[in-house]
Amino acid sequence: SLPQEDVDAFLASYEVFHTDRSVCDKKDALADVAPEPFLKPGDERIVHYYKVLNLLCALGAVEKMYIPPTLDPELSIQENQLLFEEDVARTLQVGEGKRVLEL
């Protein structure tokens, strides 16, 4: 059983993703205005987020830290991850012999 304080900290950690300045729009990019970072040094919200997310992923047999869109409802989460990654690779035009460091 997960302590209630861990659950509360996890739910509160979502605040890190809800900021008006976390994304750089076209106007900002053209004006050389960088987005503000999600986290400042010492911010523990991401630790709380991954502490619970890691457990949830383990329960669902998810090795990667994301749940993909359901591209084929007949396939497993892992198989849909592969389909999604292949789709992203096609979109990015990653061909034979090319590398993607991180998605």
Side-chain angles (χ1 to χ4, degrees):
S1 163
L2 198 59
Q4 187 61 43
E5 66 186 38
D6 286 349
V7 173
D8 294 341
F10 170 73
L11 294 174
S13 74
Y14 273 86
E15 293 172 11
V16 75
F17 301 112
H18 298 288
T19 172
D20 292 337
R21 294 290 310 131
S22 63
V23 177
C24 186
D25 62 21
K26 184 177 181 179
K27 183 179 117 198
D28 290 339
L30 292 173
D32 269 344
V33 176
E36 293 179 16
F38 284 126
L39 301 169
K40 307 273 191 267
D43 192 335
E44 291 290 312
R45 290 179 292 181
I46 203 73
V47 173
H48 301 304
Y49 175 78
Y50 279 106
K51 180 177 184 179
V52 175
L53 184 63
N54 195 24
L55 294 171
L56 291 173
C57 286
L59 284 174
V62 176
E63 293 181 26
K64 299 174 185 173
M65 296 299 284
Y66 77 98
I67 305 294
T70 303
L71 300 176
D72 185 336
E74 301 295 317
L75 299 179
S76 69
I77 289 175
Q78 290 89 352
E79 291 166 321
N80 272 288
Q81 282 177 331
L82 291 175
L83 280 179
F84 178 68
E85 290 162 10
E86 289 168 0
D87 187 47
V88 169
R90 274 192 302 279
T91 300
L92 295 175
Q93 299 177 350
V94 178
E96 187 82 27
K98 292 186 179 179
R99 293 177 137 194
V100 175
L101 297 179
E102 186 175 335
L103 290 177

